[in-house]
Amino acid sequence: MSVSSAKRDYYEVLGVGRDAAPEQVKKAYRRLAHKYHPDRNSESGAEAKFKEAAEAYEVLSDATKRQRYDQHGHAGLSGVGMHDFSHMGVDDIFSMFNDIFSDAFGGSRRGRNRGADLQTEVELSLAEVLSGAQRPLSFSLHDTCDTCAGTGAAPGSQRQSCHTCGGYGQVEQAGGLGSLFGRVIRTCPTCHGRGSTIVTPCGSCRGSGRTPKERSVTVQIPPGVHDGQAVRLRGEGEPGEDGSQRGDLHCYIRVKPHPFLERNNSDLVCRMPISFTQAALGANVEVPTLTGKADLKVPRGTQHGQVFRLNGLGVPDMRSGRRGDELVQVLVEIPRKLRREQEKLLREFASTEDRTVLPESRGFFDRLMEYIAGSNGD
């Protein structure tokens, strides 16, 4: 029932074997990124494939994430600070993998201030969908380095203007023979678009300006949320390049199956077995609900598959707040074995049956006789 279950295998996405070396993974991703980059491929679905490849590369290029993925598949990546590529623009991805794109796409990457989004998962019971829930979350992310405040330079040192681009962050290059572009503006390969370089790198982050950190937050999940739906926590993602505006954390909801109830929008469906004597004579039965049990009166002559409605016992609609209903479908069970006295009583009952007074049977046998008569006529 999870979103992740619909994702393709990351090795399949990149077209590499499970024993592929890091350099092979990088080469495969770069090839796909070049093929499906939106600036070069205008076909429908190209951007989605570009993002899919980026997500696969993020996992397979990280030794820890790759190990967890190899052992547990997509489910093993929950809570490890995965980026939410479905909500990221192409520029977000460039900012993450600029070491790959700086010479391949260069000018396509524009400076950005907002940090990358992250995603995680929370599992709820169906009863919690009824009332809503709070969940503490712990996840890892690359946050601003405390030592250098995100500059990447050692405390007391200064960045210097990039000698390659002169501080502009971009360089102009000829596209080359057969290129799609005559002359292109590329991101400076030396400073990666920042316009300055580090003379003395920070010892804590090695000049990246980011260090791995653990972060804890609490997410408020509203009543009526659906399986696969995301709750966004604004500003709980990674910081931007200038250390200011953070991305968001997208918390995807997974709703555990209920032993008796299934959800249909705001309604709940319960399939309730009853005996054929209860169906014939009528009965009062107890039906499971999200808050315990409810009494249901089964009228005499109830038919197999008949549906009864318990008003207001469903789950709330997220927009209106109004609760749906619980729909109880009765399933008439026929005993597989009968005691001798039970069989005797049933045979006595069968001898008293008048099929002509049963509306369903009468209609069936009338049509059957017409069918037989028509067949003999042919």
Side-chain angles (χ1 to χ4, degrees), residues 77-127:
L77 301 173
S78 176
V80 297
M82 284 287 293
H83 291 87
D84 187 4
F85 286 92
S86 64
H87 290 81
M88 292 172 64
V90 174
D91 288 343
D92 300 303
I93 301 171
F94 272 120
S95 68
M96 292 173 57
F97 306 127
N98 55 21
D99 61 321
I100 294 180
F101 296 129
S102 60
D103 59 339
F105 301 101
S108 298
R109 178 177 180 255
R110 296 178 294 275
R112 53 178 277 104
N113 293 323
R114 187 176 180 274
D117 290 347
L118 300 176
Q119 64 180 20
T120 188
E121 294 182 359
V122 167
E123 190 174 59
L124 298 182
S125 67
L126 196 55

Short mmCIF file of all heavy atoms in Angstrom, two decimals, residues 77-127:
data_model
loop_
_atom_site.label_atom_id
_atom_site.label_comp_id
_atom_site.label_asym_id
_atom_site.label_seq_id
_atom_site.Cartn_x
_atom_site.Cartn_y
_atom_site.Cartn_z
N LEU A 77 14.85 2.76 3.46
CA LEU A 77 15.34 4.14 3.37
C LEU A 77 14.51 5.10 4.20
O LEU A 77 14.78 6.31 4.21
CB LEU A 77 15.35 4.59 1.91
CG LEU A 77 16.22 3.73 0.98
CD1 LEU A 77 16.04 4.16 -0.46
CD2 LEU A 77 17.69 3.83 1.38
N SER A 78 13.48 4.61 4.86
CA SER A 78 12.63 5.49 5.67
C SER A 78 13.42 6.10 6.81
O SER A 78 14.13 5.41 7.54
CB SER A 78 11.44 4.69 6.22
OG SER A 78 10.66 5.48 7.08
N GLY A 79 13.32 7.41 6.97
CA GLY A 79 13.94 8.11 8.08
C GLY A 79 15.41 8.41 7.91
O GLY A 79 16.07 8.79 8.87
N VAL A 80 15.97 8.25 6.69
CA VAL A 80 17.40 8.53 6.50
C VAL A 80 17.64 9.85 5.77
O VAL A 80 18.70 10.09 5.23
CB VAL A 80 18.10 7.37 5.74
CG1 VAL A 80 18.04 6.10 6.53
CG2 VAL A 80 17.50 7.18 4.35
N GLY A 81 16.62 10.72 5.72
CA GLY A 81 16.81 12.03 5.12
C GLY A 81 16.83 12.00 3.61
O GLY A 81 17.61 12.71 2.99
N MET A 82 15.99 11.18 3.01
CA MET A 82 15.91 11.13 1.55
C MET A 82 15.33 12.44 1.01
O MET A 82 14.41 13.00 1.59
CB MET A 82 15.01 9.97 1.12
CG MET A 82 15.67 8.61 1.24
SD MET A 82 16.91 8.38 -0.05
CE MET A 82 15.85 8.34 -1.50
N HIS A 83 15.87 12.92 -0.09
CA HIS A 83 15.32 14.10 -0.72
C HIS A 83 14.04 13.75 -1.47
O HIS A 83 13.91 12.65 -2.02
CB HIS A 83 16.32 14.71 -1.71
CG HIS A 83 17.52 15.31 -1.04
ND1 HIS A 83 18.63 14.57 -0.71
CD2 HIS A 83 17.76 16.58 -0.61
CE1 HIS A 83 19.53 15.35 -0.13
NE2 HIS A 83 19.02 16.57 -0.04
N ASP A 84 13.10 14.66 -1.45
CA ASP A 84 11.82 14.45 -2.13
C ASP A 84 11.94 14.97 -3.56
O ASP A 84 11.57 16.09 -3.86
CB ASP A 84 10.71 15.17 -1.38
CG ASP A 84 9.33 14.84 -1.94
OD1 ASP A 84 9.27 14.00 -2.86
OD2 ASP A 84 8.35 15.42 -1.47
N PHE A 85 12.44 14.15 -4.46
CA PHE A 85 12.72 14.59 -5.83
C PHE A 85 11.44 14.94 -6.58
O PHE A 85 11.48 15.74 -7.52
CB PHE A 85 13.49 13.50 -6.58
CG PHE A 85 14.93 13.39 -6.15
CD1 PHE A 85 15.31 12.52 -5.14
CD2 PHE A 85 15.90 14.18 -6.73
CE1 PHE A 85 16.62 12.42 -4.73
CE2 PHE A 85 17.22 14.10 -6.32
CZ PHE A 85 17.57 13.22 -5.32
N SER A 86 10.30 14.35 -6.22
CA SER A 86 9.07 14.66 -6.94
C SER A 86 8.65 16.10 -6.76
O SER A 86 7.91 16.64 -7.59
CB SER A 86 7.95 13.73 -6.46
OG SER A 86 7.66 13.96 -5.09
N HIS A 87 9.11 16.77 -5.67
CA HIS A 87 8.75 18.16 -5.43
C HIS A 87 9.89 19.12 -5.74
O HIS A 87 9.77 20.32 -5.50
CB HIS A 87 8.32 18.36 -3.97
CG HIS A 87 7.01 17.72 -3.64
ND1 HIS A 87 6.88 16.36 -3.35
CD2 HIS A 87 5.75 18.23 -3.56
CE1 HIS A 87 5.62 16.09 -3.10
NE2 HIS A 87 4.92 17.20 -3.22
N MET A 88 10.99 18.59 -6.25
CA MET A 88 12.15 19.42 -6.53
C MET A 88 12.18 19.82 -8.00
O MET A 88 11.79 19.07 -8.88
CB MET A 88 13.44 18.68 -6.18
CG MET A 88 13.64 18.45 -4.70
SD MET A 88 15.05 17.37 -4.33
CE MET A 88 16.40 18.37 -4.95
N GLY A 89 12.64 21.03 -8.25
CA GLY A 89 12.88 21.46 -9.62
C GLY A 89 14.23 20.98 -10.10
O GLY A 89 15.05 20.45 -9.34
N VAL A 90 14.49 21.17 -11.38
CA VAL A 90 15.77 20.75 -11.95
C VAL A 90 16.92 21.48 -11.27
O VAL A 90 17.99 20.92 -11.04
CB VAL A 90 15.77 20.99 -13.47
CG1 VAL A 90 17.14 20.69 -14.06
CG2 VAL A 90 14.71 20.14 -14.14
N ASP A 91 16.71 22.74 -10.92
CA ASP A 91 17.77 23.51 -10.26
C ASP A 91 18.14 22.90 -8.91
O ASP A 91 19.29 22.96 -8.48
CB ASP A 91 17.32 24.96 -10.06
CG ASP A 91 17.28 25.72 -11.38
OD1 ASP A 91 17.90 25.23 -12.34
OD2 ASP A 91 16.64 26.78 -11.43
N ASP A 92 17.13 22.33 -8.21
CA ASP A 92 17.43 21.69 -6.93
C ASP A 92 18.45 20.56 -7.13
O ASP A 92 19.39 20.40 -6.34
CB ASP A 92 16.16 21.08 -6.32
CG ASP A 92 15.09 22.12 -6.06
OD1 ASP A 92 15.36 23.07 -5.32
OD2 ASP A 92 13.99 21.97 -6.59
N ILE A 93 18.23 19.80 -8.17
CA ILE A 93 19.09 18.65 -8.42
C ILE A 93 20.48 19.09 -8.82
O ILE A 93 21.48 18.51 -8.43
CB ILE A 93 18.44 17.74 -9.49
CG1 ILE A 93 17.07 17.27 -9.00
CG2 ILE A 93 19.33 16.55 -9.81
CD1 ILE A 93 16.25 16.55 -10.03
N PHE A 94 20.55 20.18 -9.62
CA PHE A 94 21.86 20.71 -9.99
C PHE A 94 22.64 21.14 -8.75
O PHE A 94 23.85 20.93 -8.63
CB PHE A 94 21.69 21.92 -10.92
CG PHE A 94 21.60 21.53 -12.37
CD1 PHE A 94 20.48 21.84 -13.11
CD2 PHE A 94 22.64 20.86 -12.97
CE1 PHE A 94 20.39 21.48 -14.44
CE2 PHE A 94 22.57 20.51 -14.31
CZ PHE A 94 21.44 20.81 -15.05
N SER A 95 21.93 21.73 -7.79
CA SER A 95 22.62 22.22 -6.60
C SER A 95 23.16 21.06 -5.76
O SER A 95 24.12 21.23 -5.01
CB SER A 95 21.67 23.07 -5.75
OG SER A 95 20.65 22.28 -5.19
N MET A 96 22.55 19.89 -5.88
CA MET A 96 23.00 18.73 -5.11
C MET A 96 24.19 18.04 -5.78
O MET A 96 25.10 17.58 -5.12
CB MET A 96 21.85 17.73 -4.98
CG MET A 96 20.70 18.16 -4.12
SD MET A 96 19.34 16.99 -4.21
CE MET A 96 20.17 15.49 -3.68
N PHE A 97 24.17 17.97 -7.12
CA PHE A 97 25.17 17.19 -7.84
C PHE A 97 25.98 18.07 -8.79
O PHE A 97 26.22 17.73 -9.95
CB PHE A 97 24.50 16.07 -8.63
CG PHE A 97 23.61 15.19 -7.81
CD1 PHE A 97 22.30 14.95 -8.18
CD2 PHE A 97 24.09 14.59 -6.65
CE1 PHE A 97 21.48 14.14 -7.43
CE2 PHE A 97 23.26 13.76 -5.88
CZ PHE A 97 21.96 13.54 -6.27
N ASN A 98 26.39 19.24 -8.30
CA ASN A 98 27.07 20.16 -9.20
C ASN A 98 28.43 19.64 -9.66
O ASN A 98 28.95 20.10 -10.66
CB ASN A 98 27.22 21.55 -8.56
CG ASN A 98 27.92 21.49 -7.21
OD1 ASN A 98 28.64 20.54 -6.91
ND2 ASN A 98 27.70 22.51 -6.39
N ASP A 99 29.00 18.69 -8.94
CA ASP A 99 30.27 18.13 -9.39
C ASP A 99 30.09 17.34 -10.67
O ASP A 99 31.03 17.18 -11.47
CB ASP A 99 30.87 17.23 -8.32
CG ASP A 99 29.98 16.06 -7.96
OD1 ASP A 99 28.74 16.25 -7.92
OD2 ASP A 99 30.51 14.96 -7.75
N ILE A 100 28.91 16.85 -10.91
CA ILE A 100 28.63 16.11 -12.14
C ILE A 100 28.19 17.04 -13.26
O ILE A 100 28.58 16.88 -14.41
CB ILE A 100 27.52 15.06 -11.88
CG1 ILE A 100 28.02 14.01 -10.91
CG2 ILE A 100 27.07 14.41 -13.18
CD1 ILE A 100 27.01 12.94 -10.59
N PHE A 101 27.39 18.04 -12.92
CA PHE A 101 26.77 18.86 -13.95
C PHE A 101 27.58 20.08 -14.34
O PHE A 101 27.27 20.73 -15.34
CB PHE A 101 25.39 19.35 -13.48
CG PHE A 101 24.42 18.24 -13.29
CD1 PHE A 101 23.71 18.12 -12.11
CD2 PHE A 101 24.21 17.31 -14.29
CE1 PHE A 101 22.80 17.10 -11.93
CE2 PHE A 101 23.31 16.29 -14.12
CZ PHE A 101 22.60 16.18 -12.94
N SER A 102 28.60 20.43 -13.60
CA SER A 102 29.28 21.69 -13.85
C SER A 102 29.86 21.77 -15.24
O SER A 102 29.82 22.80 -15.89
CB SER A 102 30.39 21.91 -12.81
OG SER A 102 31.34 20.85 -12.89
N ASP A 103 30.38 20.63 -15.75
CA ASP A 103 30.94 20.67 -17.09
C ASP A 103 30.01 20.08 -18.13
O ASP A 103 30.22 20.24 -19.32
CB ASP A 103 32.27 19.90 -17.13
CG ASP A 103 32.12 18.46 -16.71
OD1 ASP A 103 31.12 18.15 -16.05
OD2 ASP A 103 32.99 17.65 -17.08
N ALA A 104 28.96 19.38 -17.69
CA ALA A 104 28.06 18.76 -18.66
C ALA A 104 26.95 19.69 -19.09
O ALA A 104 26.54 19.70 -20.24
CB ALA A 104 27.45 17.48 -18.06
N PHE A 105 26.43 20.52 -18.13
CA PHE A 105 25.30 21.38 -18.44
C PHE A 105 25.56 22.84 -18.13
O PHE A 105 24.86 23.70 -18.61
CB PHE A 105 24.05 20.91 -17.67
CG PHE A 105 23.66 19.51 -17.98
CD1 PHE A 105 23.97 18.48 -17.13
CD2 PHE A 105 23.00 19.23 -19.16
CE1 PHE A 105 23.61 17.19 -17.42
CE2 PHE A 105 22.62 17.93 -19.46
CZ PHE A 105 22.94 16.91 -18.59
N GLY A 106 26.48 23.07 -17.25
CA GLY A 106 26.92 24.41 -16.91
C GLY A 106 25.84 25.44 -16.83
O GLY A 106 25.21 25.64 -15.82
N GLY A 107 25.63 26.17 -17.94
CA GLY A 107 24.76 27.33 -17.93
C GLY A 107 23.31 27.02 -17.63
O GLY A 107 22.54 27.92 -17.37
N SER A 108 22.92 25.74 -17.69
CA SER A 108 21.54 25.41 -17.37
C SER A 108 21.26 25.56 -15.89
O SER A 108 20.12 25.63 -15.48
CB SER A 108 21.24 23.97 -17.81
OG SER A 108 21.39 23.83 -19.19
N ARG A 109 22.31 25.54 -15.08
CA ARG A 109 22.11 25.66 -13.63
C ARG A 109 22.09 27.12 -13.22
O ARG A 109 23.01 27.85 -13.45
CB ARG A 109 23.24 24.93 -12.90
CG ARG A 109 23.12 25.05 -11.39
CD ARG A 109 24.21 24.26 -10.70
NE ARG A 109 24.08 24.37 -9.26
CZ ARG A 109 24.86 25.12 -8.52
NH1 ARG A 109 25.83 25.82 -9.08
NH2 ARG A 109 24.70 25.17 -7.22
N ARG A 110 21.01 27.50 -12.58
CA ARG A 110 20.88 28.87 -12.12
C ARG A 110 21.05 28.90 -10.62
O ARG A 110 20.73 27.94 -9.92
CB ARG A 110 19.50 29.44 -12.51
CG ARG A 110 19.31 29.52 -14.02
CD ARG A 110 17.92 30.02 -14.34
NE ARG A 110 16.88 29.09 -13.94
CZ ARG A 110 16.49 28.07 -14.69
NH1 ARG A 110 17.06 27.84 -15.86
NH2 ARG A 110 15.53 27.28 -14.28
N GLY A 111 21.52 29.99 -10.10
CA GLY A 111 21.69 30.09 -8.66
C GLY A 111 20.35 29.99 -7.95
O GLY A 111 19.33 30.40 -8.46
N ARG A 112 20.38 29.41 -6.77
CA ARG A 112 19.14 29.29 -6.01
C ARG A 112 19.45 29.55 -4.54
O ARG A 112 20.57 29.32 -4.07
CB ARG A 112 18.52 27.89 -6.17
CG ARG A 112 19.45 26.75 -5.86
CD ARG A 112 18.74 25.41 -5.98
NE ARG A 112 18.01 25.09 -4.76
CZ ARG A 112 16.71 25.19 -4.63
NH1 ARG A 112 15.99 25.62 -5.63
NH2 ARG A 112 16.10 24.88 -3.51
N ASN A 113 18.44 30.02 -3.83
CA ASN A 113 18.60 30.31 -2.41
C ASN A 113 17.93 29.27 -1.54
O ASN A 113 18.36 29.03 -0.41
CB ASN A 113 18.03 31.70 -2.09
CG ASN A 113 18.84 32.80 -2.75
OD1 ASN A 113 20.05 32.70 -2.82
ND2 ASN A 113 18.17 33.83 -3.25
N ARG A 114 16.85 28.69 -2.04
CA ARG A 114 16.07 27.77 -1.22
C ARG A 114 16.75 26.40 -1.16
O ARG A 114 17.27 25.90 -2.16
CB ARG A 114 14.67 27.61 -1.82
CG ARG A 114 13.71 26.80 -0.96
CD ARG A 114 12.32 26.80 -1.59
NE ARG A 114 11.39 26.04 -0.80
CZ ARG A 114 11.23 24.72 -0.90
NH1 ARG A 114 11.96 24.05 -1.77
NH2 ARG A 114 10.34 24.09 -0.16
N GLY A 115 16.73 25.80 0.04
CA GLY A 115 17.35 24.49 0.23
C GLY A 115 16.49 23.37 -0.32
O GLY A 115 15.34 23.55 -0.72
N ALA A 116 17.05 22.17 -0.30
CA ALA A 116 16.38 20.99 -0.84
C ALA A 116 15.31 20.47 0.11
O ALA A 116 15.44 20.56 1.33
CB ALA A 116 17.41 19.90 -1.13
N ASP A 117 14.25 19.90 -0.46
CA ASP A 117 13.21 19.25 0.32
C ASP A 117 13.66 17.85 0.72
O ASP A 117 14.47 17.21 0.04
CB ASP A 117 11.90 19.14 -0.48
CG ASP A 117 11.24 20.49 -0.70
OD1 ASP A 117 11.64 21.46 -0.04
OD2 ASP A 117 10.33 20.58 -1.55
N LEU A 118 13.09 17.36 1.82
CA LEU A 118 13.35 16.00 2.28
C LEU A 118 12.01 15.27 2.42
O LEU A 118 10.95 15.90 2.42
CB LEU A 118 14.07 16.01 3.64
CG LEU A 118 15.43 16.69 3.70
CD1 LEU A 118 15.94 16.69 5.13
CD2 LEU A 118 16.43 16.01 2.78
N GLN A 119 12.07 13.96 2.52
CA GLN A 119 10.84 13.19 2.73
C GLN A 119 11.08 12.08 3.74
O GLN A 119 12.19 11.58 3.90
CB GLN A 119 10.35 12.59 1.41
CG GLN A 119 11.27 11.56 0.79
CD GLN A 119 10.73 10.99 -0.50
OE1 GLN A 119 9.86 11.59 -1.13
NE2 GLN A 119 11.23 9.85 -0.91
N THR A 120 10.01 11.72 4.44
CA THR A 120 10.04 10.62 5.39
C THR A 120 8.65 10.01 5.43
O THR A 120 7.75 10.45 4.72
CB THR A 120 10.49 11.10 6.79
OG1 THR A 120 10.69 9.97 7.64
CG2 THR A 120 9.45 12.03 7.41
N GLU A 121 8.46 8.98 6.24
CA GLU A 121 7.18 8.29 6.30
C GLU A 121 6.71 8.15 7.75
O GLU A 121 7.53 8.07 8.67
CB GLU A 121 7.28 6.88 5.69
CG GLU A 121 7.55 6.88 4.20
CD GLU A 121 7.59 5.46 3.63
OE1 GLU A 121 7.42 4.51 4.44
OE2 GLU A 121 7.80 5.32 2.43
N VAL A 122 5.38 8.12 7.91
CA VAL A 122 4.75 7.88 9.21
C VAL A 122 3.64 6.87 9.01
O VAL A 122 2.86 6.97 8.06
CB VAL A 122 4.18 9.19 9.81
CG1 VAL A 122 3.26 8.87 10.98
CG2 VAL A 122 5.29 10.10 10.26
N GLU A 123 3.57 5.88 9.90
CA GLU A 123 2.53 4.86 9.80
C GLU A 123 1.44 5.14 10.83
O GLU A 123 1.72 5.41 12.00
CB GLU A 123 3.13 3.48 10.03
CG GLU A 123 2.17 2.34 9.71
CD GLU A 123 2.83 0.98 9.80
OE1 GLU A 123 3.34 0.66 10.91
OE2 GLU A 123 2.85 0.24 8.81
N LEU A 124 0.18 5.08 10.38
CA LEU A 124 -0.98 5.32 11.25
C LEU A 124 -1.90 4.13 11.21
O LEU A 124 -1.95 3.39 10.23
CB LEU A 124 -1.77 6.55 10.79
CG LEU A 124 -1.11 7.92 10.77
CD1 LEU A 124 -2.15 8.96 10.32
CD2 LEU A 124 -0.57 8.28 12.13
N SER A 125 -2.66 3.96 12.27
CA SER A 125 -3.77 3.01 12.26
C SER A 125 -5.00 3.72 11.70
O SER A 125 -5.06 4.97 11.65
CB SER A 125 -4.05 2.49 13.66
OG SER A 125 -4.54 3.54 14.48
N LEU A 126 -5.98 2.94 11.28
CA LEU A 126 -7.22 3.54 10.77
C LEU A 126 -7.94 4.32 11.86
O LEU A 126 -8.59 5.34 11.58
CB LEU A 126 -8.11 2.45 10.19
CG LEU A 126 -9.26 2.90 9.27
CD1 LEU A 126 -8.75 3.74 8.11
CD2 LEU A 126 -10.01 1.68 8.73
N ALA A 127 -7.81 3.88 13.10
CA ALA A 127 -8.43 4.61 14.21
C ALA A 127 -7.79 5.98 14.38
O ALA A 127 -8.46 6.96 14.73
CB ALA A 127 -8.31 3.81 15.51
#
